[in-house]
Amino acid sequence: MSKQAITLNTLKKLKRSGEKITCLTVYDSSFASVLETAGVDIFLVGDSLGMVIQGYDSTLPVSLKDMIYHSANVRRGSSNAFIMADMPFMSYASVEQTLKNAGKILKQGGAQMVKLEGGAAFVERVSTLADHGIPVCAHLGLMPQMVHKLGGYRVQGRDDRSAQKIVDDAQAMQDAGADMLLLECVPAELGEKVTTLLDIPVIGIGAGPGCDAQVLVLQDILGISKGHHPKFYRNFLESSSGIEAAVSHYVQAVKSGEYPAAEHCY
Ligand code: KIV
């Protein structure tokens, strides 16, 4: 029997029921079908592809064309998963540009949701997308497209003032019509606080076990990413018999609460 397609309603129901939601990055059709077989709920066509596929040292060079190309490849490899794609750096510099480019990601790339990095300053962009029926995930905490402004890839929200700013931004994004939030590299306590506060699902990466969902970069869980590995990194392939088993292990570890463990948290 074919599995039912995962929609925003499915994900919101999972949040309400307390069942953990699984998300992985994916950039092509072969891996999309592996993830689908393993039962991953959300496929993130992340602009991390600039680093793990294209070999750049940041996500900044990724173009809208790249995002559409990879989203369409992922779409063709999947039938049930919910596909979210990143809006690349400078593709949402104005409200008009945001609407036009998000529309292309859905129409040409086949994604069901776009993700953009930013908080309260982006309220008008998010509400405009919501008014046009384009689901949005707001990415807060460590925002990799702001690496130069942040002075590197650092944990965010460690002090009271910056933690409160993340809480306020999260609330502003939900109020503007965002359907999901992604929190990257924040203390576990803050991840849990934001998740409890919001009605929309909160995906964490390095944001602790209290989030509704977890996401990791596919190349990280397969142990083939180069360079420095953050605290939340875990290679699931080394304890599995193959790629599909490693992805299934990740799904089972998130669903059971085994991942993230204390050693993966800030
Ligand atoms: O681009 C990406 O893969 C991401 C994740 C790291 C969350 O945004």
Side-chain angles (χ1 to χ4, degrees), residues 25 44 46-48 86 115 139 182 184 205 215:
T25 68
L44 170 59
D47 59 356
S48 51
D86 267 324
K115 173 162 81 62
H139 184 147
L182 189 145
E184 179 164 354
I205 176 163
V215 61

Side-chain angles (χ1 to χ4, degrees), residues 119-136:
F122 290 75
V123 156
E124 200 187 340
R125 289 166 178 79
V126 171
S127 65
T128 301
L129 292 179
D131 287 346
H132 285 81
I134 300 181
V136 189

Side-chain angles (χ1 to χ4, degrees), residues 7-248:
T7 65
L8 262 183
N9 286 343
T10 322
L11 300 169
K12 286 176 180 169
K13 260 188 218 152
L14 287 175
K15 172 170 179 126
R16 285 197 297 273
S17 72
E19 180 178 334
K20 295 291 179 188
I21 301 166
T22 54
C23 179
L24 268 180
T25 68
V26 58
Y27 319 99
D28 69 31
S29 130
S30 302
F31 274 110
S33 55
V34 170
L35 265 60
E36 188 140 288
T37 307
V40 176
D41 299 312
I42 305 173
F43 293 5
L44 170 59
V45 187
D47 59 356
S48 51
L49 70 86
M51 297 163 97
V52 296
I53 302 289
Q54 298 172 329
Y56 293 115
D57 63 0
S58 79
T59 59
L60 272 55
V62 176
S63 68
L64 183 68
K65 204 167 152 209
D66 294 332
M67 292 311 305
I68 292 171
Y69 171 79
H70 285 280
S71 300
N73 289 343
V74 168
R75 175 79 280 161
R76 286 189 288 272
S78 64
S79 40
N80 302 316
F82 187 81
I83 301 176
M84 157 162 77
D86 267 324
M87 298 205 69
F89 180 58
M90 292 308 288
S91 70
Y92 48 105
S94 67
V95 175
E96 292 71 27
Q97 227 186 353
T98 308
L99 183 59
K100 186 167 143 231
N101 291 333
K104 286 186 185 170
I105 291 175
L106 264 68
K107 276 174 86 131
Q108 299 170 25
Q112 284 133 305
M113 169 177 262
V114 294
K115 173 162 81 62
L116 53 80
E117 298 179 11
F122 290 75
V123 156
E124 200 187 340
R125 289 166 178 79
V126 171
S127 65
T128 301
L129 292 179
D131 287 346
H132 285 81
I134 300 181
V136 189
C137 175
H139 184 147
L140 298 175
L142 171 57
M143 294 178 268
Q145 293 176 10
M146 298 200 188
V147 58
H148 299 310
K149 181 92 177 144
L150 297 174
Y153 298 103
R154 300 165 189 282
V155 181
Q156 304 294 308
R158 280 209 194 267
D159 58 83
D160 290 352
R161 206 163 140 257
S162 61
Q164 189 56 47
K165 164 100 174 86
I166 291 173
V167 171
D168 294 344
D169 280 344
Q171 186 68 60
M173 291 288 92
Q174 174 172 287
D175 294 347
D179 288 293
M180 222 181 282
L181 192 91
L182 189 145
L183 269 183
E184 179 164 354
C185 277
V186 298
E189 221 178 280
L190 178 58
E192 186 168 351
K193 184 174 178 182
V194 172
T195 305
T196 309
L197 178 75
L198 298 190
D199 299 324
I200 57 176
V202 176
I203 308 178
I205 176 163
C211 298
D212 301 305
Q214 297 294 328
V215 61
L216 284 176
V217 169
L218 179 61
Q219 279 71 3
D220 281 350
I221 73 153
L222 300 179
I224 54 169
S225 51
K226 301 267 177 292
H228 165 76
H229 290 138
K231 215 173 169 194
F232 52 81
Y233 173 89
R234 180 168 161 191
N235 177 347
F236 284 83
L237 186 62
E238 62 192 358
S239 55
S240 306
S241 56
I243 290 174
E244 205 173 296
V247 177
S248 296

